[in-house]
Each structure stands twice: as structure tokens, then as C-alpha cells.
Amino acid sequence: MFRRTFWFTTGVAAGVWATTKVNRKLAKLTPESLALQAADRAVIAGRKVKLFALDVRDGMAHREEALKDALGLSAAPPGPEPRALPEQRRLVALEQHHTHHPFTRKEDH
């Protein structure tokens, strides 16, 4: 009698465990769950790409500074200060109003 009770209880426990496991797997395969998983993975991938881009930018800045120091370009060269650009000028041709040439095409020949 004890053996039958033991195996019956073991079978019920195995059935409950298997049913629970299958239901969890099926819940993960619903369209809503798959969409959420894809969105989460996209967000994580975006964060990784952003961190990689920031690391690359920092590395580029450090390397640029190292190259400038190695080439002696980091300090401003001694000399006169740069001059300011002159004011913008308009072309004289744009200010003049063109009139038709006094000769017509027929008279040119």
C-alpha cells in the first residue's frame, strides 16, 4: 500500500512539474511575449552600440592628443594673432542693372 501511494504521489508531482514547465515555455512563445523579448534585446543592443561609439570617440580623442604631442602640434605656434576676416563684399556686377545691348542680334551680322 505504501508503494502505491509513493508512486502515485511521485507521478502527480512529475505531472505538475511537467505541466508547469510546458505552460511557462508556451507563455514565452506568445506573440506579445516574443515582441517584448525582441524590444528588450533591441534596447540592450542599442545601449551596447552607444557605449562602443563613446569608447571609440574617447579613444580617438586620446590618440589625436598623443599624435599632436608627438608631432609638437599641441601648443599654439608663437606669432601674431590671426586677423579677423574682412566684411563680406557684394560684387559690383550684382549691383548694376543690366539693360539690353543697343544692338540687336540681326545687326551683329
Side-chain angles (χ1 to χ4, degrees), residues 9-89:
T9 307
T10 304
V12 169
V16 169
W17 176 80
T19 304
T20 305
K21 190 106 171 149
V22 167
N23 285 336
R24 286 182 184 166
K25 288 290 183 183
L26 288 176
K28 287 183 180 181
L29 295 177
T30 61
E32 295 85 13
S33 178
L34 292 175
L36 286 174
Q37 289 175 11
D40 289 342
R41 289 182 181 163
V43 169
I44 290 170
R47 287 180 186 159
K48 288 180 180 180
V49 168
K50 182 179 178 181
L51 289 175
F52 175 73
L54 291 174
D55 287 344
V56 168
R57 185 183 298 167
D58 289 342
M60 285 175 22
H62 291 305
R63 181 66 178 151
E64 185 176 356
E65 285 298 319
L67 288 173
K68 283 182 180 180
D69 288 342
L71 296 173
L73 300 175
S74 59
E81 292 186 22
R83 296 184 300 171
L85 293 174
E87 292 184 25
Q88 185 177 3
R89 299 180 201 165

